[in-house]
Amino acid sequence: PMAQVQPPSDAVVLFDGTDLSNWLARGKGGKVLEPRWKVENGYMEIVPGTGDLYSKEKFGNAQFHIEWAAPAKVEGHGQLRGNSGVLIMNRYEIQVLDSWDNPTYADGMAGAIYGQWPPLAAPVRKPGEWQTYDIVFEAPRFDDGKLVKPPYVTVFYNGVLVHHRQEIIGPMAHRIVAPFRPHGPEEPLGFQDHDYPVRFRNVWVRRLKDYD
């Protein structure tokens, strides 16, 4: 198995393998719930139907480190297999999917900025193996309700650059380009409950200074 990267000294550790104390869950209609994902053996695993998880702490410009694994037992194909998502600011999605020998639309594969940009490469590991995202995110800026600077994201997937300061063109949506809506300069990190038992571990965040 791939070794876990130790969080640097300036990181906020959101999940260290022991409990979900840094998280809340979002149920139907946005209702705030206590998280009910399973925690064991140093990881948390989606319990389908219990809602998305999101961090109590909020972040703007940041480096996010996330390790994830799709179920070892392969069931389904395309988007119906090991599907989840990393929701930066609870709305900009880096796709999580079992993309091993699993064709799907290009901007829906693992490492894609979902619905917008396919990854530049597909360094996927087998189902059940740990995979790593290192995400450098530049938060958007709004002035008087208007977008004055879009968000940008750089993504390393298993150490391979798959997005290089790529402009995000809107919040996560399926087959449409959704308009930007003003939000706070810092927002939570979210993980999507897409009805598949995807696992996450070693989740940490480093706040970064403003970019101009």
Side-chain angles (χ1 to χ4, degrees):
M2 187 181 175
Q4 295 192 42
V5 175
Q6 288 306 305
S9 60
D10 63 347
V12 176
V13 178
L14 292 179
F15 180 71
D16 66 0
T18 56
D19 62 54
L20 298 175
S21 58
N22 295 320
W23 301 86
L24 294 167
R26 187 177 20 242
K28 297 270 187 289
K31 191 173 175 201
V32 178
L33 304 169
E34 281 301 307
R36 288 173 38 215
W37 290 15
K38 185 165 72 179
V39 176
E40 61 182 18
N41 301 327
Y43 60 77
M44 57 182 177
E45 183 178 286
I46 296 170
V47 175
T50 60
D52 297 351
L53 244 53
Y54 65 98
S55 62
K56 292 177 181 176
E57 198 159 338
K58 297 180 178 184
F59 306 94
N61 297 336
Q63 175 190 354
F64 298 94
H65 177 90
I66 293 142
E67 297 172 21
W68 62 273
K73 185 179 179 197
V74 173
E75 296 179 314
H77 56 86
Q79 293 292 303
L80 306 177
R81 190 168 129 189
N83 192 331
S84 180
V86 174
L87 300 173
I88 301 168
M89 292 195 130
N90 249 337
R91 50 177 58 73
Y92 308 113
E93 182 180 4
I94 307 301
Q95 171 75 321
V96 168
L97 188 78
D98 176 7
S99 287
W100 181 268
D101 194 21
N102 184 29
T104 187
Y105 47 91
D107 58 14
M109 60 197 282
I113 301 171
Y114 183 82
Q116 300 182 20
W117 302 102
L120 298 171
V124 300
R125 296 203 169 101
K126 291 178 180 171
E129 293 186 7
W130 286 102
Q131 324 224 24
T132 299
Y133 285 170
D134 279 291
I135 299 166
V136 180
F137 179 75
E138 296 176 46
R141 281 208 289 267
F142 297 91
D143 186 19
D144 203 19
K146 290 192 177 56
L147 182 76
V148 293
K149 180 187 178 235
Y152 293 90
V153 71
T154 296
V155 180
F156 288 87
Y157 177 9
N158 291 332
V160 177
L161 183 69
V162 294
H163 298 285
H164 183 225
R165 200 167 185 267
Q166 180 63 63
E167 182 178 333
I168 295 175
I169 57 176
M172 183 268 291
H174 182 58
R175 296 200 168 177
I176 59 165
V177 175
F180 282 101
R181 292 197 176 85
H183 56 75
E186 294 193 328
E187 295 288 347
L189 174 68
F191 292 135
Q192 196 176 35
D193 169 11
H194 213 304
D195 296 324
Y196 300 91
V198 176
R199 296 172 177 177
F200 296 92
R201 72 177 188 189
N202 199 22
V203 180
W204 50 261
V205 187
R206 296 175 63 232
R207 287 193 168 85
L208 302 173
K209 63 178 174 48
D210 266 346
Y211 297 88
D212 282 316

